[in-house]
C-alpha cells in the first residue's frame, strides 16, 4: 500500500532527500565559505544515496511528486559532475613506442610496513615514483631502490609533509619549493626526450581542516598554479591534493593551468581505504592536453590509508 505524505516513514524519507539536495547545493558555493566547499567532495555519495531514495519512493509511495522532483534535481546536479569522467575521448593519434609509467602515493606517515609497497612497485615497475608523507624511516627503506631509481630528490619529514620523487629517467632542474606561509614543500623537475621537455610537479597541501587549513590548502594550490602557468612545456601534476575535482580550488587550478584530468576511467576514489562508502578522490594526476594518456587507474592497497594511482603516458 502506498504511504501518505504525512506518514512518519514518508516524512523521514522526505527529510533525508531534502538533506541530500541541500548538501548537493551547498557544495556549489565553496568559493564563498570553507565549510560549504567540504560538501562538494561527496558527489559520488549523493548520487548513490539518491538512487536508493528513488527505489524506496517507487516501493513506498509512487505518487509523492515532491520527493520525485527533489530526486530528479539531485540526479541532475550530480550527474553533471560525474558524467565527464565516464566519457571516452576519441583520438586518432598513433601511439609511439616511447611511454612512461608513473605511480603516486600518499604512504601515510604512520605506515611502518615497507613490504606491500615494495612488492607493488616491483610488479608494476614504474619509471617515476612520487611519494607524499615521506618519513626518514620510509626514506631509508627506499634506499634499496637506489640502483633502479638513481635520480630524484626528497624532503623527509616525521610529520605529514615529507615528499619525494625518484626516477629511472634522468631528471633536470629538480627544485624544492616551499609555500611562503606554511613552508610546506612541493617539488618540480623536468625530463627531456628527443623532442620534448616535460615538467613534473609533485604536491601535497595542508588538509582543509577548518578555515585556516582551507586557506593554507588554497594558497598552496594557487602558488603551484602560478609556477605551472610560467612554463610553456607540457606538465604532469601529481600528488595528494586534499581536494576533489568538484571543489572550488581544484576547478580554479584547472582553469588557470589548462591542465585536465584523464577522462574515460571513471571516478577514482583513493581515500580512505578503510571506509569504502565514504571514499573520495583526492589523489590525482593532472596533465597538459597535448599529452596522451594510455592508462589511468588505481593501484592495490599497500598498507596506507590512501590507494596509489598509476598512469601510463605517451609523449
Amino acid at each position: 500500500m502506498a504511504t501518505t505524505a504525512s506518514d512518519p516513514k514518508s516524512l523521514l524519507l522526505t527529510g533525508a532527500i531534502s538533506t541530500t539536495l541541500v548538501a548537493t547545493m551547498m557544495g556549489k558555493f565553496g568559493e564563498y565559505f570553507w565549510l560549504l566547499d567540504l560538501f562538494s567532495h561527496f558527489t559520488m555519495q549523493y548520487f548513490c544515496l539518491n538512487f536508493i531514495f528513488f527505489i524506496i519512493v517507487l516501493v513506498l509511495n509512487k505518487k509523492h511528486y515532491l520527493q520525485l522532483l527533489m530526486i530528479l534535481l539531485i540526479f541532475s546536479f550530480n550527474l553533471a559532475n560525474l558524467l565527464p569522467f565516464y566519457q571516452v575521448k576519441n583520438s586518432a593519434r598513433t601511439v609511439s613506442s616511447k611511454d612512461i609509467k608513473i605511480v603516486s602515493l600518499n604512504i601515510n606517515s604512520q605506515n611502518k610496513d615497507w613490504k606491500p609497497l615494495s612488492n607493488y612497485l616491483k610488479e608494476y615497475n614504474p619509471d617515476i615514483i612520487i611519494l607524499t608523507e615521506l618519513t626518514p624511516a620510509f626514506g631509508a627503506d627506499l634506499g634499496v631502490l637506489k640502483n633502479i631509481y638513481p635520480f630524484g630528490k626528497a624532503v623527509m619529514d616525521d610529520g605529514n609533509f615529507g615528499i619525494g620523487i625518484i626516477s629511472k629517467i634522468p631528471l633536470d632542474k629538480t627544485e624544492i619549493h616551499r609555500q611562503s606561509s606554511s613552508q610546506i614543500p612541493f617539488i618540480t623537475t623536468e625530463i627531456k626526450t628527443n623532442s620534448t621537455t616535460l615538467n613534473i610537479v609533485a604536491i601535497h597541501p595542508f588538509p582543509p581542516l577548518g578555515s585556516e587549513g582551507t586557506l593554507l590548502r588554497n594558497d598552496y594550490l594557487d602558488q603551484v598554479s602560478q609556477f605551472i602557468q610560467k612554463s610553456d612545456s607540457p606538465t604532469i601534476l601529481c600528488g595528494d591534493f586534499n581536494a576533489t575535482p568538484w571543489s572550488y580550488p581544484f576547478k580554479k587550478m584547472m582553469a588557470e593551468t589548462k591542465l585536465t584530468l584523464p577522462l574515460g576511467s571513471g571516478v577514482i576514489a583513493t581515500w580512505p581505504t578503510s571506509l569504502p562508502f565514504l571514499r573520495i578522490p583526492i589523489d590525482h594526476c593532472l596533465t597538459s592536453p597535448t599529452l596522451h594518456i594510455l592508462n589511468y587507474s588505481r593501484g592495490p592497497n599497500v598498507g596506507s590509508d590512501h590507494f596509489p594511482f598509476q598512469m601510463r603516458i605517451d609523449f
Side-chain angles (χ1 to χ4, degrees):
M1 177 181 292
T3 59
T4 64
S6 59
D7 182 272
K9 292 181 180 178
S10 183
L11 290 173
L12 182 62
L13 181 59
T14 299
I17 297 171
S18 301
T19 300
T20 305
L21 177 59
V22 170
T24 295
M25 296 306 299
M26 288 172 69
K28 295 183 177 298
F29 297 94
E31 176 182 359
Y32 304 105
F33 185 54
W34 69 270
L35 188 60
L36 298 180
D37 191 61
L38 293 180
F39 287 93
S40 69
H41 301 319
F42 300 98
T43 291
M44 296 172 62
Q45 285 78 6
Y46 301 148
F47 188 83
C48 292
L49 278 173
N50 195 52
F51 181 76
I52 296 171
F53 294 152
F54 179 66
I55 298 300
I56 294 174
V57 167
L58 290 183
V59 171
L60 295 182
N61 192 354
K62 295 181 180 179
K63 294 185 178 180
H64 201 312
Y65 298 115
L66 176 60
Q67 290 177 346
L68 290 172
L69 175 60
M70 289 190 292
I71 285 171
L72 179 61
L73 290 173
I74 297 169
F75 176 82
S76 300
F77 290 137
N78 289 294
L79 184 63
N81 284 335
L82 294 172
L83 192 59
F85 292 90
Y86 297 89
Q87 294 176 332
V88 179
K89 202 172 183 180
N90 294 325
S91 175
R93 173 173 175 162
T94 301
V95 177
S96 74
S97 59
K98 177 60 179 176
D99 63 84
I100 59 172
K101 293 198 292 187
I102 298 174
V103 161
S104 180
L105 169 66
N106 181 323
I107 62 175
N108 186 353
S109 61
Q110 302 305 309
N111 182 12
K112 308 300 182 184
D113 190 359
W114 156 254
K115 190 173 181 180
L117 176 58
S118 176
N119 291 338
Y120 162 61
L121 295 177
K122 289 177 182 176
E123 180 179 350
Y124 186 68
N125 192 28
D127 300 290
I128 298 172
I129 304 169
I130 293 169
L131 298 173
T132 58
E133 295 200 20
L134 182 59
T135 62
F138 227 94
D141 291 327
L142 280 175
V144 302
L145 300 179
K146 185 67 175 178
N147 291 335
I148 305 172
Y149 298 92
F151 309 101
K153 184 165 283 193
V155 179
M156 308 294 179
D157 185 83
D158 281 318
N160 295 329
F161 298 104
I163 190 168
I165 298 178
I166 59 174
S167 173
K168 296 178 181 178
I169 305 167
L171 302 177
D172 189 33
K173 298 181 181 178
T174 305
E175 295 184 43
I176 294 171
H177 309 261
R178 291 189 179 271
Q179 182 181 10
S180 55
S181 54
S182 70
Q183 295 300 298
I184 294 174
F186 66 95
I187 300 177
T188 63
T189 190
E190 295 179 354
I191 60 175
K192 297 183 183 295
T193 67
N194 293 334
S195 59
T196 307
T197 296
L198 182 63
N199 293 325
I200 298 178
V201 183
I203 68 170
H204 182 208
F206 199 88
L209 302 175
S211 58
E212 184 176 349
T214 302
L215 287 173
L216 283 174
R217 179 202 59 185
N218 296 355
D219 177 68
Y220 181 103
L221 294 178
D222 282 341
Q223 189 171 329
V224 172
S225 176
Q226 291 166 18
F227 175 87
I228 293 171
Q229 291 176 68
K230 294 175 183 176
S231 173
D232 295 325
S233 300
T235 297
I236 299 174
L237 171 63
C238 294
D240 174 358
F241 284 57
N242 275 316
T244 63
W246 312 294
S247 67
Y248 168 72
F250 192 98
K251 292 187 288 188
K252 179 174 180 285
M253 168 176 270
M254 287 183 64
E256 291 173 346
T257 62
K258 311 303 181 186
L259 300 182
T260 62
L261 276 169
L263 301 180
S265 299
V267 175
I268 301 177
T270 55
W271 177 86
T273 56
S274 59
L275 298 172
F277 184 71
L278 294 178
R279 201 172 289 158
I280 56 177
I282 62 173
D283 301 274
H284 310 282
C285 215
L286 302 181
T287 62
S288 295
T290 54
L291 299 175
H292 186 47
I293 310 302
L294 302 176
N295 175 266
Y296 188 80
S297 58
R298 190 175 71 188
N301 190 333
V302 293
S304 172
D305 57 340
H306 292 246
F307 287 98
F309 66 90
Q310 54 200 29
M311 180 174 67
R312 190 161 68 96
I313 187 167
D314 172 65
F315 64 96

